[in-house]
Amino acid sequence: MTTNNGYRTLWRWHFYAGLFVMPLLIVLAVTGTLYCFQPQIERVIYRDRLVVEPQAQPRLPEEALLARAAGILPKGAVASSARIANDPTLSAEFIFRLPDGERESVYVNPYTGAVLGTLSVEHRFMQIDRMLHRKLLLGKPGELLMELAACWTLVMIGTGIALWWPRECARAGRKFWPNFSMKGRALWKSVHAVLGVWLAVGALAFIVTGLPWTGSWGKQFKSLATSASLGAPPGAWGGLRLHSQARDGGRPSIDSADAHHVDHADAVAGAGADASRMGSMPGMTMDDMPLANVPWAVGAVPVPRVPAHAHDPRARLPLDRLIEDVRRFGLTHAYEIAFPQSPDGVYTVTYFPPDPRGERTLYLDQYSGAVLKDIRYRDYGAVAKAISFGTSLHMGRYFGLANQIACTLISLGLAAMAVTGCVMWWKRRPVGKLGAPGREHGMPPMRVWKAGLALLGILFPLMGASLVAVWVTDRALFGRPAER
């Protein structure tokens, strides 16, 4: 094959991208596949705690179940959230913050009140898998590394397709299937190239839907989308009328907001003087809440708070009454409730269903149960709506088992690409050397590719810095002219 017209340059960049991305791609593929099947996996490995035998007798009150759960934990443990499944085969789950700062899930049989067991939130199998997928269990450095891997995968996809692109139209059809008549490295190369072409669209979809959740670029992108009215709904950043009403005579006082969706425009317009005394938990956003899943559109939204009053803590709305109210608001199962942790806190309810059009976040007065803010999918900006759909597809949730299988095929296909790429490199690598493809004589302009890399570096600053670092290192240490 000819090596002019930039072929070796593309190969060189493809090599560098693959050298960095391939090991991380295997980690992403394996952990992502496991996470797609979280509901099935957890039902198997934690069956003794999650699954119960349905009974004809009614469930015990949620408040009683919560008390049973709290009773087995050490003194100082504080209930932080509950997962309301309303599935007759599932146990009741309550999450507590322990005195040492760790979080513990307690599972209770909803029919008998028997405590079935506990699980560490931070150390349960699927949470470790999730943190491996997002951060390699390395905290912020790992999160940035995974973000870089996603960006470099874009380079790998682009250069890979360019290297594969048929030079002769007559042979184009053959390029979509491996040539099993070949042997050795040529066969590995054929399999690698065909896999890459078939998986390119899926890999690109994974990157595009995963980047908005990254800790650096994703967080900045979320702020930008919100400021441009394309992300979180209007009014989500505060300025809404929020007020708690203490119970009168032991009974909750429900105002007119209780049974209606709060109109954001009216709320913002009427904020006025209330805005000076209303606000949000200092430094607390929805992403900081003790909730397993929070819709992307509301992740950076500050958690509302209300002015501190001399309320009797015993006047807080009982959990059963809260669940009854939430049911009247249209949510019946598979949602989470974060409990208020202070007298000026609120109940936070988040619903994160497979179909993103049903996503919903509610803030309720902890004393009256009145709806203070109700954020639904229809309130999202255009970007947030698209990302919600992408997230559901990325996680294998949107169309059930078929979605899980599709994600698995793409993920394992990408892992196979990583393996074939490593084998190809190992077979051609000179002993004791890196084996990077040599530079071309008479470097072609390649203006389109340079413009593309520059744009990528501008869109993703972390990626831009790494591009410069790789270029400088390559010129200084590994540059050599290609043999004619």
Side-chain angles (χ1 to χ4, degrees):
M1 179 177 288
T2 180
T3 60
N4 55 15
N5 296 324
Y7 182 87
R8 276 191 177 272
T9 301
L10 292 174
W11 183 14
R12 195 174 179 84
W13 278 101
H14 188 74
F15 171 83
Y16 285 135
L19 198 65
F20 168 57
V21 167
M22 289 304 187
L24 300 178
L25 202 57
I26 294 176
V27 174
L28 285 169
V30 173
T31 57
T33 298
L34 289 173
Y35 198 70
C36 273
F37 289 92
Q38 178 183 4
Q40 294 95 324
I41 291 174
E42 290 208 322
R43 276 213 179 205
V44 172
I45 61 179
Y46 301 130
R47 185 175 182 82
D48 59 331
R49 278 157 281 193
L50 269 63
V51 180
V52 298
E53 188 70 29
Q55 298 184 21
Q57 67 191 66
R59 293 168 59 101
L60 295 174
E62 293 292 332
E63 201 72 36
L65 297 176
L66 176 59
R68 295 286 182 95
I72 70 160
L73 295 177
K75 185 178 181 180
V78 177
S80 61
S81 62
R83 296 176 183 172
I84 309 301
N86 202 27
D87 182 334
T89 67
L90 290 180
S91 60
E93 180 181 1
F94 303 97
I95 296 90
F96 291 80
R97 176 73 66 181
L98 302 181
D100 61 3
E102 293 287 310
R103 289 189 298 155
E104 192 92 349
S105 288
V106 181
Y107 299 90
V108 185
N109 188 312
Y111 305 103
T112 66
V115 176
L116 303 176
T118 65
L119 280 175
S120 168
V121 173
E122 286 82 6
H123 301 115
R124 64 194 295 164
F125 176 76
M126 292 312 303
Q127 180 64 11
I128 293 175
D129 178 79
R130 183 182 184 183
M131 291 300 101
L132 266 171
H133 189 77
R134 294 187 63 183
K135 306 179 180 183
L136 292 173
L137 298 179
L138 297 175
K140 192 65 176 179
E143 195 169 24
L144 295 177
L145 193 61
M146 284 308 208
E147 182 177 323
L148 264 179
C151 293
W152 274 94
T153 302
L154 295 174
V155 176
M156 191 173 64
I157 292 172
T159 54
I161 291 177
L163 292 171
W164 165 89
W165 198 264
R167 269 58 176 178
E168 300 174 15
C169 293
R171 301 177 56 193
R174 304 178 196 173
K175 301 280 282 186
F176 288 96
W177 306 102
N179 186 348
F180 291 107
S181 65
M182 297 178 173
K183 294 181 180 181
R185 182 176 176 275
L187 175 59
W188 287 101
K189 182 178 180 181
S190 177
V191 172
H192 181 84
V194 170
L195 271 176
V197 168
W198 281 103
L199 295 171
V201 174
L204 186 61
F206 271 160
I207 296 167
V208 171
T209 54
L211 277 172
W213 291 91
T214 56
S216 176
W217 183 85
K219 187 175 293 185
Q220 297 301 319
F221 177 68
K222 187 182 294 186
S223 298
L224 178 63
T226 301
S227 64
S229 300
L230 297 172
W237 289 87
L240 297 181
R241 274 186 201 278
L242 301 179
H243 54 283
S244 280
Q245 300 176 7
R247 290 190 286 174
D248 182 14
R251 296 183 60 82
S253 171
I254 309 296
D255 66 14
S256 60
D258 181 31
H260 298 86
H261 178 152
V262 176
D263 185 89
H264 297 295
D266 290 346
V268 173
D274 285 340
S276 63
R277 60 188 182 88
M278 305 297 174
S280 58
M281 295 295 287
M284 178 74 74
T285 67
M286 282 295 293
D287 281 336
D288 300 320
M289 296 292 282
L291 298 165
N293 293 298
V294 173
W296 185 88
V298 298
V301 172
V303 178
R305 66 179 175 85
V306 294
H309 297 298
H311 292 312
D312 181 351
R314 292 172 297 178
R316 179 182 293 176
L317 193 70
L319 184 56
D320 294 281
R321 173 59 190 274
L322 178 73
I323 293 173
E324 179 185 330
D325 288 345
V326 171
R327 183 180 296 112
R328 289 194 296 109
F329 303 148
L331 298 181
T332 58
H333 67 283
Y335 63 88
E336 293 182 80
I337 302 173
F339 302 141
Q341 301 298 306
S342 63
D344 61 354
V346 297
Y347 280 110
T348 302
V349 177
T350 182
Y351 181 49
F352 191 67
D355 188 339
R357 290 170 294 186
E359 289 180 3
R360 196 168 172 190
T361 303
L362 297 104
Y363 303 101
L364 297 102
D365 188 301
Q366 66 168 303
Y367 304 104
S368 70
V371 177
L372 305 174
K373 196 185 299 185
D374 182 355
I375 304 174
R376 310 189 189 193
Y377 175 83
R378 69 189 183 211
D379 302 315
Y380 295 174
V383 168
K385 287 181 178 179
I387 289 174
S388 292
F389 269 100
T391 298
S392 190
L393 290 167
H394 184 105
M395 296 176 67
R397 293 158 38 93
Y398 187 58
F399 47 93
L401 181 61
N403 199 164
Q404 291 176 311
I405 293 173
C407 287
T408 298
L409 291 175
I410 296 172
S411 294
L412 297 184
L414 292 172
M417 276 195 65
V419 172
T420 56
C422 286
V423 171
M424 288 165 54
W425 166 66
W426 191 259
K427 283 181 172 292
R428 70 172 292 275
R429 182 183 66 91
V431 178
K433 295 183 179 180
L434 181 64
R439 285 201 191 90
E440 298 181 73
H441 287 286
M443 177 67 181
M446 301 185 71
R447 295 185 181 90
V448 174
W449 284 100
K450 291 177 180 178
L453 287 175
L455 180 61
L456 197 63
I458 293 171
L459 288 176
F460 305 101
L462 190 64
M463 172 66 176
S466 68
L467 279 170
V468 173
V470 169
W471 183 82
V472 170
T473 303
D474 174 56
R475 300 289 296 187
L477 300 179
F478 303 118
R480 62 181 173 85
E483 295 180 3
R484 290 187 182 274

